Amino acid sequence: MFNGKKFTVDPVSVGMGRSKREKFELLLEGLMDDLYRYAYWVCRDRVQAEELVQETYLRAWKAIGSLRDADSAKSWLFTICRREYARQFERKRLQMQDVEDIGELPGAKVAFDTSTEAFVLRRALATLSDDYRDPLVLQVLGGFSCEEIAGVLGISSSAVMTRLFRARKQMRELLTDDESDSRCVTEVRA
Amino acid sequence: MNCLEFRRICLSDPYTSAADFAAHRLECHECTRFVDSVTAFDKKLLDAMQVPVPEDLATRVKLRQVIGEEHARRVRPWQWALAASIFVSVALGGFLGLQVYSTNLYIAQLQASVIDHVNNEPDFISVQGKVPSDKFARVMAAFGAEVVNKDIESLIAHAYVCVMDKRPIAHIFAGNGGQVTVLYVTGKRIGAETPFKDDSHQGVLIPAGGGNLVVIAPKGEQIEPLVTKLKQSIRWSI
Ligand SMILES: [Zn+2]
Ligand SMILES: [Zn+2]
């Protein structure tokens, strides 16, 4: 029997600095789940979300030398993803899912909340315009500050504040219109 | 800061650490309740945002990156120079003989790796039931192949990205009960379809895309219908 290693090249170990690979592994292990979910909520399509994640990491690998500060790694990665989405947007928009499909994610496995309230929230979130949903997902799911969101989206902090305010206001309006689930929303008593 | 301003900020940045926001929060019960309700709502929203992440996505990200690097390496100038110098020396030393020799060596080594891989596939991999409808296509897509005839999915029991000789490969269980194994191995593409067998297995190597497709089954198992179907159903872009 021949020794396979003699004739094949391990592509992972050739010509790459260890630290570059380590950085990449950390970006992958620590941030991929959040990045996938962000990508999903940006495009609301599982297949496209996967493509976005793939493309984001491919670009991240090429540009990883420019990443020096560990604290900014997450917003750096999300920014790459957001730009990639903008690039693909026109090409892919016709394939986007209908809002009604959002609650029925095929292939769902454990720990996926299918309760009515989560369904209603997902539906409401999907109904928001992209401009409002995007900063809200970055804040609630990504845990980013308004300044970081401004960086990812390439808009001013005050524009981010305005969009977040309108996003939450719209969510409340959408959910209070739906009498069956008005408990999702707390009333504003000014 | 008055209550109206406070609530406006609540809806845009309830997590702010601004001093005047914190100060109003301390002195105003109504607004404390309001900001708590906003953050409680955010928690529910966060739960609702937790869509399931595909389980093999990290592997496929690594695979894509590895393939991307290989692709980039192919065009490095020094490699052309090296390839050219090898070609010259090979030409001097008797080109045909050496090429046949190295190809036979590669085929023998590939067969050995494949049989070894099939014999050592862990038991925990379940071969029951049908592959999720798009899983086969997604695995093949990671290797630059497009499934153009979805009928073949009825013959696939399981498909995933596996590792052989430290390289990512597509590993597919096919046929009734998954007795036929199909592997896609990137690397040197062999010249022609090559059948092979050992005491307990029979199979065939088929050049495809940027590598070779391997179909292998226990001795006596029919593989021709699956081979025909595979050829009709997969299109290679690399
Ligand atoms: Zn107040
Ligand atoms: Zn395997």
Side-chain angles (χ1 to χ4, degrees), chain B residues 3 24 28 31:
Chain B
C3 294
H24 185 88
C28 178
C31 284

Side-chain angles (χ1 to χ4, degrees), chain B residues 173-193:
Chain B
F173 291 102
N176 288 332
Q179 325 88 318
V180 185
T181 299
V182 181
L183 305 178
Y184 182 67
V185 186
T186 55
K188 184 171 177 170
R189 190 184 147 119
I190 64 173
E193 208 170 303

Side-chain angles (χ1 to χ4, degrees), chain B residues 117 121-122 125 160-164 169-171 173 183:
Chain B
H117 187 83
E121 196 66 17
I125 291 163
Y160 58 98
V161 175
C162 203
V163 174
M164 186 176 85
I169 61 167
H171 191 135
F173 291 102
L183 305 178

Side-chain angles (χ1 to χ4, degrees), chain B residues 2-4 6-7 24 28 30-31:
Chain B
N2 64 35
C3 294
L4 206 64
F6 182 92
R7 290 174 188 212
H24 185 88
C28 178
E30 283 289 304
C31 284

Side-chain angles (χ1 to χ4, degrees), chain B residues 70-89:
Chain B
E70 281 218 297
H71 197 71
R73 274 208 302 276
R74 247 175 246 151
V75 296
R76 279 178 196 165
W78 66 264
Q79 284 189 312
W80 289 114
L82 184 65
S85 72
I86 288 172
F87 179 80
V88 169
S89 55

Side-chain angles (χ1 to χ4, degrees), chain A residues 118-153:
Chain A
F119 176 85
V120 171
L121 282 167
R122 279 196 290 276
R123 198 182 59 183
L125 190 60
T127 315
L128 287 186
S129 78
D130 294 355
D131 282 352
Y132 295 166
R133 182 179 49 250
D134 204 340
L136 189 62
V137 175
L138 286 167
Q139 188 180 58
V140 173
L141 181 77
F144 290 113
S145 69
C146 289
E147 288 71 30
E148 287 170 324
I149 296 169
V152 172
L153 298 179

